[in-house]
Amino acid sequence: MNSMNSPIELITFPEFLLNCACPDFPHIISTIWLCNSDAKCVFLIDGLDQAPHIINQNESNRHINSRATVSTWLSLLYLRKIMKRSKIIYTSRPSSVVKLAPSQQPDLIYKLIGFSEQSIVGVISTYNSEHAQEIVTFINSKGPNLVRFSRNPFILALISLVYKTSSTHIPTETTITEIYQLAIHQLSSAIRSLRGEYGDAGQNQRGEEMVDRFYYENFIENKISFTEDDVLARNLSMEILETFTLINIDSNQFSLGLEPKQKMITPQHQNVMEFHIARYMVTVMDIERFTTVVNEEMFDLYTQDRWNMIRRFIAGLINTGKYDEGKRGIFLNKLVTELKSIVSRTLLEVCERDLSKFQYAVLYQSSLFNDITEMNRELEFIKSSFAEMEELNFNVNLPDEHSLYGLIYLLRHIDPHLDSLVIKLSNDFKLSHFNELAEAIKSLSEKVLVIQISNMPGLHENMNKLREIIRKSEDELTLTYPPRVNIGEIEAIKQNLQSQINQLQSEEPPNIRIDHRNCSYLIRHSCYTNMTSSFIMPYLDGVTLNLMQCRNRNIFSQVENIANIYRWNFAISQQEELEILIKFLVKVKQAIIEMIELIPTSDVNWNVIRMFCNKIGRTKHKVLLIQLYNMVSSEIDIYYVRKLWPKVQKGLVITYKNEISDEEVDMWVFKLEAIRSLCTECSLIVNFKNFRISCLPPTNQIMIEKFLTIGR
């Protein structure tokens, strides 16, 4: 993507395809063919995260035979203003996908899961076939960090590169930074050896600093690809660049028969450039500028694709203890401050309950965990910083296994004394990953007052790990299961937990709550009580959406990924809000609806009330609590109550804004008598200004309470 940044000349769209996008395409693309065949075209845009400075969101449409810059054509393609029926495949770091406008969100998102062990053998064979199995054995002997890193194709290539000469320098608990350091040093030594240009230590250091500065200056200008003229313009030679960094094989001075101004030079991977930028910042950059970048730019919620790997490499370089002590203190203090801030609040609080910011907060939290994994020599400093907090609550969202390993590292090595641990798992969280998480919780030296885990995988196959979590829960353990875990599994889980508690006879177990869309149980000291009569289950975050703010944007794409993790609250006062809510219920089918409030304006709109009862009655969602406010007794009939009742799990509350006579009370009691057999699990409460009439399970007893006034 970034390599398209340089051409300024004006070209047509067919010329853009031939010259920039499809160099091997037949050199005849007619306008007629393009107009008629866009549905047959697939565009692969590699590196969307490198494109923000290229894309113009306000680019106006134009004919494909008009002349424009490469950036213009790329923007029009990105905005789907040309080739509208074509398919586009993006490769990107995560947060750049989050930034896409709702109309540009991809239909499908795939994540690279990494190589299996068998695949690793096959891939290594392409680099070092003679020692492939030997390298795999070496990787496995160095512990889980190197095993996990080797699932990444580029890092696996680096490990193969350094194995022969530098394998003894790879520590057991290695880091990403150490692997890059070794690989770049190894390649530099090999090139200098071939050229017979060994140089002294000072000369080599100057070469490294020149390359580091070159990459940083290009980073400031948003350039990841450059020409040989760009290299020379910064007082750098191609020989020095090739000696002290990893660039693509077709980028060096002897590759391809192109003029220097035509050849685009790129690092072998964007992470290579980011490593050099990090090294420049800790070695060459003055401390005033370093302080400004760290405090004002590097720890920003919305620039994760730009800074997260640079920050991680800085963490790893500072961890070596070889760099400026002042920079170490500045970086460490900022990192720990940000980490404590983002784990001690829910992510909804971090993003101020703005769902458009939520995914940024998830990615940011995950990247901070990864930074800690690079700092194995600074763990005592981080641990002491957490120990200073009077109350320590961890709120963690785990979008994937990469963020899981960061949390596991933190729990095992920092061993924080937690008052509460609240973890929200992703929708595709695997049982094997949960077992690793359980082992990390088990490793804590002290019990946790409250543990809550949301979006649990079905655990009927293996419940032993839960016993360890029970042991670490001092007061409360809440396990929330999504709708995909059926009621039969919930019953099996409940019985198994009962058995687990019975086996802890010598200990005082915590209160354990199992929460599911269809049921809720409280296991209290070796006995469970059915809690389905309570209105709203505590402990979970309730997300309130302002529906009127959603009408002009596609809010649904922002909440689908977290629909199972949170419970949703809605307040409705007009028909337009009701229509948006129904669209939400249809689109986000897995959402758990905690509460729907109908609060008509003072002039009660009977049509909205009737429509609400009919539409909610037809939806497939179950609602924990429905409340109707500002009703008038003459304008609601028990018929509409019957419409809502099957959709309510905990309670239906109807509050009228007028008083009621004794005769009308008798009429209401008569109406409830006719339908109270339906009230087997949920409660019905009817409030007037002077009376409350309740029908409560499990006895279905109708209760009447008289009082002077009630509030909303």
Side-chain angles (χ1 to χ4, degrees):
M1 174 72 79
N2 198 282
S3 61
M4 295 184 178
N5 193 41
S6 54
I8 303 176
E9 60 180 322
L10 302 180
I11 56 177
T12 66
F13 185 68
E15 290 171 340
F16 162 76
L17 293 180
L18 288 172
N19 299 337
C20 300
C22 307
D24 298 324
F25 205 77
H27 281 249
I28 301 175
I29 300 181
S30 69
T31 303
I32 297 176
W33 185 88
L34 279 175
C35 292
N36 294 333
S37 305
D38 59 339
K40 300 178 182 178
C41 294
V42 177
F43 292 91
L44 174 60
I45 299 180
D46 186 22
L48 178 65
D49 50 290
Q50 301 163 16
H53 57 286
I54 302 175
I55 302 298
N56 177 8
Q57 293 283 351
N58 300 315
E59 192 70 67
S60 57
N61 203 357
R62 59 184 68 211
H63 191 272
I64 60 176
N65 274 344
S66 62
R67 292 192 170 272
T69 63
V70 167
S71 295
T72 297
W73 290 124
L74 193 59
S75 299
L76 292 174
L77 186 63
Y78 169 86
L79 297 171
R80 308 316 302 262
K81 292 184 177 180
I82 56 175
M83 305 294 285
K84 296 179 182 178
R85 295 184 298 164
S86 64
K87 291 181 173 59
I88 298 180
I89 300 172
Y90 295 114
T91 67
S92 176
R93 290 177 172 179
S95 78
S96 291
V97 178
V98 175
K99 292 176 185 176
L100 293 173
S103 60
Q104 297 155 16
Q105 286 287 333
D107 298 320
L108 294 171
I109 298 177
Y110 295 93
K111 296 179 181 179
L112 296 178
I113 61 173
F115 292 131
S116 65
E117 184 171 337
Q118 192 59 39
S119 300
I120 289 174
V121 176
V123 172
I124 292 178
S125 297
T126 64
Y127 301 109
N128 194 335
S129 58
E130 183 180 351
H131 301 96
Q133 191 57 57
E134 183 181 328
I135 294 174
V136 171
T137 302
F138 165 76
I139 290 172
N140 291 332
S141 71
K142 288 295 182 177
N145 280 3
L146 198 61
V147 171
R148 189 169 70 255
F149 297 155
S150 67
R151 297 177 63 190
N152 178 288
F154 185 69
I155 296 179
L156 182 59
L158 296 184
I159 294 171
S160 300
L161 175 68
V162 303
Y163 172 73
K164 264 194 166 182
T165 58
S166 304
S167 61
T168 56
H169 298 117
I170 298 179
T172 300
E173 291 295 327
T174 191
T175 65
I176 289 283
T177 307
E178 288 169 331
I179 292 173
Y180 273 82
Q181 274 186 306
L182 285 170
I184 292 174
H185 176 75
Q186 157 102 12
L187 187 67
S188 174
S189 299
I191 291 175
R192 284 184 280 119
S193 176
L194 286 172
R195 292 175 177 170
E197 302 171 354
Y198 297 100
D200 57 32
Q203 184 179 353
N204 292 336
Q205 182 179 344
R206 286 191 294 274
E208 290 176 352
E209 290 178 356
M210 291 174 68
V211 171
D212 294 345
R213 183 186 295 274
F214 171 77
Y215 274 124
Y216 177 77
E217 290 173 350
N218 279 282
F219 168 76
I220 295 301
E221 297 177 6
N222 296 310
K223 293 174 67 175
I224 195 174
S225 300
F226 22 84
T227 64
E228 188 169 336
D229 289 343
D230 294 329
V231 176
L232 298 175
R234 297 190 188 276
N235 299 316
L236 190 66
S237 68
M238 284 296 297
E239 287 83 1
I240 292 177
L241 187 66
E242 291 174 17
T243 301
F244 293 101
T245 189
L246 302 170
I247 60 174
N248 278 339
I249 191 68
D250 59 354
S251 296
N252 65 49
Q253 57 184 332
F254 303 110
S255 66
L256 302 179
L258 298 175
E259 294 293 326
K261 66 178 181 179
Q262 296 174 309
K263 185 183 297 183
M264 297 305 296
I265 301 166
T266 57
Q268 283 194 1
H269 194 281
Q270 189 173 347
N271 285 356
V272 172
M273 181 176 186
E274 289 161 332
F275 172 81
H276 284 284
I277 294 166
R279 194 168 65 180
Y280 170 82
M281 291 184 66
V282 299
T283 57
V284 179
M285 180 181 282
D286 64 81
I287 195 164
E288 290 80 10
R289 176 60 183 157
F290 181 85
T291 304
T292 300
V293 173
V294 168
N295 290 328
E296 298 180 13
E297 300 177 35
M298 189 176 294
F299 291 85
D300 183 75
L301 203 64
Y302 308 108
T303 58
Q304 288 311 291
D305 284 346
R306 182 171 175 81
W307 285 107
N308 68 334
M309 282 306 301
I310 296 173
R311 197 178 61 237
R312 184 170 181 176
F313 283 132
I314 289 177
L317 290 169
I318 286 176
N319 185 62
T320 63
K322 299 178 181 179
Y323 300 100
D324 188 282
E325 185 66 20
K327 291 181 179 179
R328 169 190 174 272
I330 292 166
F331 181 82
L332 267 178
N333 285 324
K334 181 64 174 178
L335 173 61
V336 173
T337 299
E338 288 292 310
L339 184 62
K340 290 195 292 188
S341 173
I342 204 166
V343 298
S344 60
R345 300 178 291 163
T346 68
L347 292 191
L348 284 169
E349 293 172 329
V350 171
C351 63
E352 299 174 336
R353 294 193 171 270
D354 183 346
L355 285 173
S356 64
K357 302 176 182 177
F358 182 84
Q359 291 297 334
Y360 293 106
V362 172
L363 295 169
Y364 183 49
Q365 185 185 74
S366 176
S367 70
L368 291 177
F369 287 156
N370 287 333
D371 294 346
I372 298 298
T373 65
E374 298 290 317
M375 310 201 77
N376 50 30
R377 296 182 183 91
E378 299 287 355
L379 293 176
E380 284 303 317
F381 175 87
I382 300 170
K383 187 172 184 177
S384 63
S385 298
F386 276 106
E388 294 170 358
M389 300 178 69
E390 292 183 5
E391 184 176 339
L392 185 52
N393 303 298
F394 263 34
N395 293 274
V396 181
N397 283 65
L398 299 178
D400 52 41
E401 63 178 278
H402 303 294
S403 56
L404 167 66
Y405 292 124
L407 173 63
I408 288 175
Y409 188 90
L410 193 66
L411 293 177
R412 284 180 171 166
H413 293 85
I414 305 301
D415 190 20
H417 181 197
L418 298 174
D419 293 279
S420 68
L421 176 61
V422 180
I423 302 174
K424 296 177 176 65
L425 309 179
S426 63
N427 290 339
D428 56 354
F429 205 80
K430 297 178 181 177
L431 179 60
S432 59
H433 295 157
F434 180 83
N435 291 341
E436 294 179 65
L437 175 61
E439 286 292 330
I441 295 174
K442 175 186 175 182
S443 71
L444 294 173
S445 59
E446 299 188 48
K447 284 190 173 185
V448 182
L449 194 65
V450 176
I451 296 179
Q452 301 168 31
I453 306 178
S454 300
N455 219 25
M456 288 277 291
L459 295 179
H460 57 283
E461 297 175 358
N462 181 2
M463 297 289 292
N464 292 330
K465 297 298 181 183
L466 270 180
R467 185 190 308 177
E468 305 304 332
I469 297 181
I470 293 172
R471 291 179 188 271
K472 287 299 176 184
S473 306
E474 185 172 340
D475 189 13
E476 296 282 349
L477 170 62
T478 301
L479 307 173
T480 302
Y481 291 85
R484 68 175 181 270
V485 180
N486 62 49
I487 194 70
E489 285 185 276
I490 293 294
E491 187 65 27
I493 289 166
K494 181 197 68 175
Q495 298 292 347
N496 209 315
L497 276 174
Q498 182 72 62
S499 173
Q500 299 285 350
I501 288 183
N502 291 340
Q503 295 176 33
L504 302 176
Q505 294 177 355
S506 61
E507 301 180 32
E508 181 71 8
N511 297 329
I512 302 176
R513 185 180 297 280
I514 306 173
D515 197 13
H516 186 256
R517 171 180 286 189
N518 295 313
C519 63
S520 182
Y521 298 100
L522 180 67
I523 301 177
R524 190 185 303 278
H525 297 182
S526 303
C527 65
Y528 75 89
T529 305
N530 194 320
M531 296 292 290
T532 54
S533 61
S534 60
F535 266 5
I536 304 178
M537 305 313 302
Y539 308 121
L540 292 181
D541 295 316
V543 181
T544 301
L545 284 184
N546 185 329
L547 291 167
M548 293 308 293
Q549 290 181 352
C550 304
R551 58 183 174 178
N552 294 325
R553 59 195 178 106
N554 187 355
I555 191 71
F556 310 130
S557 62
Q558 298 174 9
V559 302
E560 279 186 290
N561 292 334
I562 58 171
N564 289 343
I565 299 177
Y566 293 95
R567 292 187 173 183
W568 302 88
N569 303 316
F570 299 93
I572 298 169
S573 60
Q574 52 186 293
Q575 183 172 329
E576 186 177 359
E577 290 178 315
L578 174 60
E579 291 170 351
I580 296 171
L581 170 61
I582 297 303
K583 290 179 182 177
F584 177 93
L585 296 178
V586 171
K587 176 70 174 177
V588 189
K589 297 177 181 177
Q590 298 301 315
I592 300 176
I593 312 302
E594 181 175 62
M595 180 169 62
I596 301 178
E597 297 177 295
L598 177 62
I599 313 174
T601 56
S602 55
D603 298 326
V604 176
N605 188 332
W606 173 241
N607 189 49
V608 174
I609 298 171
R610 183 177 59 186
M611 185 180 296
F612 175 86
C613 296
N614 281 326
K615 289 198 171 185
I616 297 299
R618 288 199 298 267
T619 184
K620 294 182 179 180
H621 279 272
K622 289 278 190 178
V623 183
L624 293 179
L625 177 65
I626 294 180
Q627 299 192 76
L628 310 180
Y629 292 110
N630 289 340
M631 300 294 112
V632 178
S633 61
S634 61
E635 291 190 341
I636 187 166
D637 190 87
I638 205 71
Y639 167 78
Y640 294 106
V641 175
R642 295 187 66 159
K643 284 268 188 179
L644 293 178
W645 214 325
K647 299 302 173 185
V648 179
Q649 288 184 278
K650 306 299 180 188
L652 173 61
V653 181
I654 305 171
T655 300
Y656 290 88
K657 65 179 184 179
N658 56 324
E659 294 186 359
I660 188 173
S661 66
D662 291 343
E663 291 77 13
E664 288 174 311
V665 170
D666 293 338
M667 180 59 70
W668 262 101
V669 171
F670 175 77
K671 290 179 179 181
L672 293 181
E673 287 279 1
I675 63 170
R676 68 177 179 175
S677 61
L678 300 176
C679 186
T680 56
E681 293 186 351
C682 68
S683 304
L684 172 63
I685 296 179
V686 184
N687 290 319
F688 296 91
K689 282 192 173 181
N690 55 341
F691 277 99
R692 170 178 288 146
I693 307 170
S694 307
C695 186
L696 303 173
T699 62
N700 295 332
Q701 180 181 1
I702 296 177
M703 302 173 61
I704 303 171
E705 181 182 358
K706 187 169 183 177
F707 45 90
L708 295 177
T709 183
I710 63 168
R712 258 186 56 187

